[in-house]
Amino acid sequence: MLIVHHLGISQSERILWLCEELEIPYQLVRYDRDPETRLAPAEYKALHPFGTAPVIADGDVLLAESGAIVDYIIAKYGNNRFTLKADHPNFADYLFWSHFANGSMVPAMLVDLVANLLAKDMQSENPVVNTLRQRTIRAMDLAEKHLSTNEYFAGSEFTSADIMMVFPLTTMRAFSKLDLGSYPNIRAYLKRIGARSGYQRAMKKGDPDFTPLLD
């Protein structure tokens, strides 16, 4: 059986969510973060040579990286559901947002977080800090604009691009404290996501004591 190693309040929530949306059988193994450092415990880091979440095991296959795992599960167990074919008019959007999530948005938010932790001068006139913060703002603005005319990130259909993008818009904010007050389209989108039974089941199973940051 497919085994999903889930680190609490982490990107591995995407994998639980995908499995729940596909309604496929899987075994969930949960790991709590260190209460002081908020980092993964040693036993989670030992699962894969890179030592980060998420990680799945499927027979002899041990796989890390959110995007790779999502593609693997959809191709092997999902009959390519939640994907778009190359001739679909929204195929380019599907590809862009699928890769933008971890290729640009999450790194920008991580850099912003590190800058806030390390910079001695946190005033807006600090050019380095301001530049780093602007990357996150640009990412949020881009998502807000796109969702003003699209129900989901790949248009009118829910796809794996949404599974990739929801984490930086929600759970990632537990670390970055990003405010959604000025992003009404993102908030409306997250309300639609929060109404999905697959998302609700995944969050309850993976992080039962954590309230999803949907607003």
Side-chain angles (χ1 to χ4, degrees):
M1 180 180 289
L2 179 69
I3 301 174
V4 178
H5 294 280
H6 172 59
L7 175 64
I9 313 179
S10 79
Q11 299 187 56
S12 55
E13 71 178 36
R14 291 165 166 157
I15 312 308
L16 301 184
W17 182 18
L18 174 62
C19 290
E20 291 295 333
E21 290 283 354
L22 291 172
E23 298 183 301
I24 61 174
Y26 67 98
Q27 178 184 345
L28 170 63
V29 183
R30 294 184 67 255
Y31 303 76
D32 292 325
R33 290 180 176 273
D34 184 286
E36 294 184 5
T37 66
R38 300 186 74 184
L39 299 176
E43 57 267 33
Y44 198 96
K45 295 178 181 179
L47 291 171
H48 189 274
F50 198 57
T52 60
V55 176
I56 65 165
D58 186 26
D60 294 332
V61 173
L62 184 69
L63 189 61
E65 283 296 323
S66 295
I69 294 172
V70 166
D71 288 348
Y72 177 90
I73 291 176
I74 287 176
K76 188 169 182 179
Y77 295 106
N79 196 29
N80 291 315
R81 289 178 61 198
F82 306 132
T83 64
L84 298 183
K85 295 182 179 180
D87 60 354
H88 193 286
N90 291 65
F91 181 64
D93 280 339
Y94 166 72
L95 288 180
F96 174 80
W97 292 106
S98 293
H99 292 277
F100 181 78
N102 270 22
S104 296
M105 191 163 193
V106 168
M109 295 175 73
L110 284 173
V111 169
D112 191 14
L113 173 62
V114 172
N116 285 331
L117 291 173
L118 299 181
K120 294 181 180 179
D121 178 10
M122 296 309 301
Q123 301 303 313
S124 60
E125 60 266 19
N126 184 310
V128 175
V129 173
N130 189 54
T131 297
L132 296 176
R133 284 175 169 163
Q134 288 302 316
R135 293 180 182 177
T136 299
I137 293 172
R138 287 201 305 272
M140 293 296 295
D141 288 347
L142 189 62
E144 174 71 9
K145 181 178 180 180
H146 184 73
L147 291 172
S148 69
T149 56
N150 293 277
E151 186 175 3
Y152 295 102
F153 277 101
S156 60
E157 299 179 48
F158 174 84
T159 67
S160 59
D162 299 291
I163 289 175
M164 292 299 296
M165 278 296 298
V166 164
F167 173 77
L169 296 176
T170 57
T171 305
M172 183 73 183
R173 289 169 34 236
F175 303 93
S176 68
K177 306 302 181 184
L178 184 66
D179 183 11
L180 295 183
S182 58
Y183 299 103
N185 296 315
I186 291 177
R187 296 199 310 273
Y189 165 76
L190 293 179
K191 185 175 182 180
R192 293 191 291 274
I193 293 297
R196 297 185 68 88
S197 59
Y199 181 81
Q200 294 171 6
R201 291 194 304 271
M203 297 304 290
K204 288 179 181 178
K205 290 180 179 180
D207 296 293
D209 298 324
F210 177 74
T211 302
L213 302 178
L214 296 170
D215 54 24

